[in-house]
Amino acid sequence: MNHDLAINIDYWAVQEGKNNLWQLAGIAEFQNDLNQEYVSRIHGRPGDLGGGLYEFAIQVIANISIQDVAKLITDGIAFDLLKSGTKSFVLRPFLAAYEKLKARNTEREIDIHEIRFMFNDAEVVVSKICDNSIYESLGEIFQVLARDFDCLRNGDGEYPYTIQIPVFEDPEKTLCQFRVLLDVDETIEGISIANYMEYWGIY
């Protein structure tokens, strides 16, 4: 088991009867696969019929710094299989288990709504912008993060403590110039995976 990584997954599910949920095919196997590799927890809650069902909100707590992750990727190590001495950031088993779960549930739209990486020194929050966008883009996001990490420092040399990926320029600029996508009544159009490589929010 990888004790340097803990994974928590919450999602909304269809309620069946008074006290049960309509479960995804293979969800117990998915939980077992994660338990073999990580400290992990998966929790479904009854949700209203409509959008957002079976979209995972994921927290990954890693016992490694984002600066170490960036350096290892720059040195040529795959983003999902990082090891440095006693520290590691091994996502490959999770990604494989998630892909297997999706393959067993083709009639149900499983997706990742948000994944929050909590490193020793900072958080990286990646939000869904279109179908399957997070799963398909994580590798490229971490490559860009590693390549440009030093450029994210402010004038005092301080690195960010939170990175929000992506943010969008609000065409109306009524509340602020840049923001995340709205859950309802979104006015920004033409959204695609390419938007992950445009604007990031830095705190």
Side-chain angles (χ1 to χ4, degrees):
M1 178 185 288
N2 176 7
H3 293 286
D4 290 325
L5 217 62
I7 297 179
N8 179 71
I9 300 175
D10 288 299
Y11 65 94
W12 299 104
V14 175
Q15 185 166 345
E16 278 192 332
K18 190 172 182 180
N19 298 310
N20 295 315
L21 299 178
W22 188 93
Q23 294 290 1
L24 297 166
I27 191 70
E29 182 182 352
F30 178 63
Q31 173 75 79
N32 184 63
D33 287 346
L34 296 190
N35 287 342
Q36 297 300 314
E37 302 290 340
Y38 314 103
V39 176
S40 64
R41 170 188 175 272
I42 302 173
H43 185 249
R45 293 178 289 174
D48 296 330
L49 296 179
L53 295 176
Y54 303 101
E55 289 191 354
F56 293 166
I58 303 172
Q59 291 179 317
V60 178
I61 302 174
N63 188 22
I64 190 171
S65 74
I66 191 173
Q67 294 190 54
D68 286 340
V69 167
K71 182 182 184 306
L72 289 167
I73 294 173
T74 302
D75 290 345
I77 300 177
F79 91 96
D80 57 350
L81 199 60
L82 298 174
K83 293 190 178 184
S84 175
T86 61
K87 303 291 180 75
S88 64
F89 180 67
V90 180
L91 277 181
R92 191 166 293 174
F94 161 70
L95 296 173
Y98 173 75
E99 187 174 13
K100 183 166 65 173
L101 182 68
K102 278 184 67 72
R104 290 192 61 180
N105 290 273
T106 54
E107 76 291 346
R108 179 71 65 178
E109 292 184 11
I110 302 173
D111 210 336
I112 301 173
H113 176 72
E114 178 184 276
I115 186 164
R116 181 180 298 265
F117 297 97
M118 305 171 75
F119 297 102
N120 285 343
D121 52 351
E123 289 185 1
V124 177
V125 183
V126 184
S127 300
K128 173 184 174 179
I129 56 175
C130 52
D131 290 345
N132 214 33
S133 60
I134 292 179
Y135 178 79
E136 292 180 5
S137 303
L138 270 183
E140 186 177 6
I141 287 170
F142 272 95
Q143 289 290 339
V144 172
L145 179 63
R147 185 191 70 203
D148 295 338
F149 189 65
D150 279 340
C151 301
L152 302 181
R153 290 182 292 180
N154 65 14
D156 296 326
E158 181 185 11
Y159 285 99
Y161 58 85
T162 301
I163 303 170
Q164 172 67 53
I165 305 172
V167 294
F168 293 81
E169 188 166 15
D170 190 333
E172 299 176 2
K173 297 182 177 61
T174 52
L175 299 175
C176 55
Q177 184 174 0
F178 293 94
R179 62 172 174 80
V180 297
L181 293 178
L182 304 175
D183 289 331
V184 294
D185 299 329
E186 180 55 71
T187 58
I188 297 173
E189 299 178 348
I191 296 165
S192 72
I193 284 178
N195 291 118
Y196 280 122
M197 300 303 136
E198 293 182 350
Y199 297 114
W200 292 4
I202 306 296
Y203 299 91

